[in-house]
Amino acid sequence: MSQIEIIKLNKFYTVGDTIIPGVNEVSLNIEQGEFLSVVGHSGSGKTTLVSIVGGILRPTSGQVLYNGCDICELDDNGLSEYRNKKIGFMFQFASLLPILTATENVLLPALFSPDQQQAKDNAEKAQRCLELVGIGEKGLAYPSQLSGGQQRRVAIARALMNDPEIILADEPTGDLDEDTEREIMELFSRINEEQKVTIIFITHNLELARQAKKQIRMHQGIVEELAL
């Protein structure tokens, strides 16, 4: 059984009298531990697809099975638990809170967990996450004291805080220079290999997309090409 099975998924938006397909009849299987890139131009449906998989958006129709459970049938509490326990999110910008240190930013997902650990255990875990991404010495630094690449590493550590089974990364290297892009992609690859975390990586950069183990190309909401 696939970790994620997407079956005839549709998401349509209505703008005036016009219906715009965000995702159009997409069916796809994603195995545990895969590193998948989703590539396409702006408006192709990449973010919509991944947002549905992450339980942020509800589809118009279709199914998203996570280990056989259709997340589209979960109520809001069920989706919140799914997002908190199973998914680690990374977005186009690091989105760190400037008034919090790196460690405090990493700790944020644990604050929303219904199964909170003791504060000391959480802090120790946040430190381990920072060490995993190579910036263990930056725990007390504020975002303004970090480079763009270091901020991305903090965001990855934050995504790992609740031991997710899946990381959804939406254009996480979009505003970085080429050397830092390469470092972040190497870090994703290492986490995928060592932690066995499934990674779904959105990009419009074909060169970055090819670094994943599997690539999907989207166009107007349709999976146009699947290359292994």
Side-chain angles (χ1 to χ4, degrees):
M1 181 174 63
S2 299
Q3 186 181 40
I4 300 172
E5 186 176 359
I6 300 169
I7 305 170
K8 295 184 177 180
L9 195 67
N10 291 287
K11 178 65 175 180
F12 299 115
Y13 301 97
T14 302
V15 180
D17 296 328
T18 303
I19 296 177
I20 300 173
V23 171
N24 194 351
E25 286 292 302
V26 168
S27 293
L28 178 69
N29 289 343
I30 301 171
E31 304 300 326
Q32 182 177 358
E34 278 194 341
F35 187 177
L36 171 71
S37 64
V38 184
V39 66
H41 295 296
S42 296
S44 63
K46 307 185 303 297
T47 296
T48 298
L49 176 63
V50 170
S51 295
I52 294 172
V53 171
I56 296 174
L57 285 178
R58 290 188 182 272
T60 304
S61 63
Q63 295 177 290
V64 177
L65 305 183
Y66 167 76
N67 290 335
C69 172
D70 187 359
I71 68 167
C72 303
E73 295 183 350
L74 297 175
D75 60 17
D76 289 344
N77 288 336
L79 279 175
S80 294
E81 184 174 1
Y82 166 74
R83 289 191 298 264
N84 187 263
K85 290 187 174 181
K86 306 301 182 183
I87 307 294
F89 293 97
M90 272 199 73
F91 302 103
Q92 183 171 1
F93 303 102
S95 301
L96 305 181
L97 294 182
I99 62 172
L100 300 182
T101 65
T103 295
E104 290 166 341
N105 271 284
V106 173
L107 278 167
L108 285 174
L111 300 179
F112 297 99
S113 173
D115 302 318
Q116 290 189 36
Q117 302 171 351
Q118 294 179 358
K120 180 179 178 180
D121 291 339
N122 280 341
E124 290 174 352
K125 186 174 182 181
Q127 179 61 30
R128 290 196 300 271
C129 289
L130 287 171
E131 291 170 357
L132 178 65
V133 300
I135 54 169
E137 76 284 2
K138 296 293 185 180
L140 296 179
Y142 289 90
S144 62
Q145 299 171 313
L146 302 173
S147 68
Q150 289 171 337
Q151 290 183 31
R152 287 305 190 287
R153 289 173 183 267
V154 173
I156 295 172
R158 180 179 59 193
L160 293 169
M161 182 63 194
N162 281 352
D163 299 316
E165 296 184 13
I166 303 163
I167 289 180
L168 302 179
D170 189 350
E171 299 274 9
T173 64
D175 61 340
L176 300 178
D177 61 75
E178 290 185 6
D179 289 342
T180 308
E181 270 188 342
R182 184 172 60 253
E183 291 177 4
I184 297 302
M185 290 303 295
E186 289 173 354
L187 178 56
F188 275 127
S189 295
R190 181 164 62 82
I191 290 171
N192 174 248
E193 291 288 342
E194 296 178 2
Q195 305 295 316
K196 307 304 179 185
V197 177
T198 302
I199 297 177
I200 304 175
F201 178 86
I202 292 178
T203 183
H204 65 275
N205 186 319
L206 289 173
E207 186 62 33
L208 290 181
R210 293 188 185 103
Q211 296 182 42
K213 297 174 184 176
K214 181 188 290 187
Q215 302 87 40
I216 294 170
R217 184 191 301 273
M218 292 194 70
H219 177 68
Q220 294 183 349
I222 298 171
V223 172
E224 196 172 63
E225 176 183 322
L226 182 61
L228 298 178

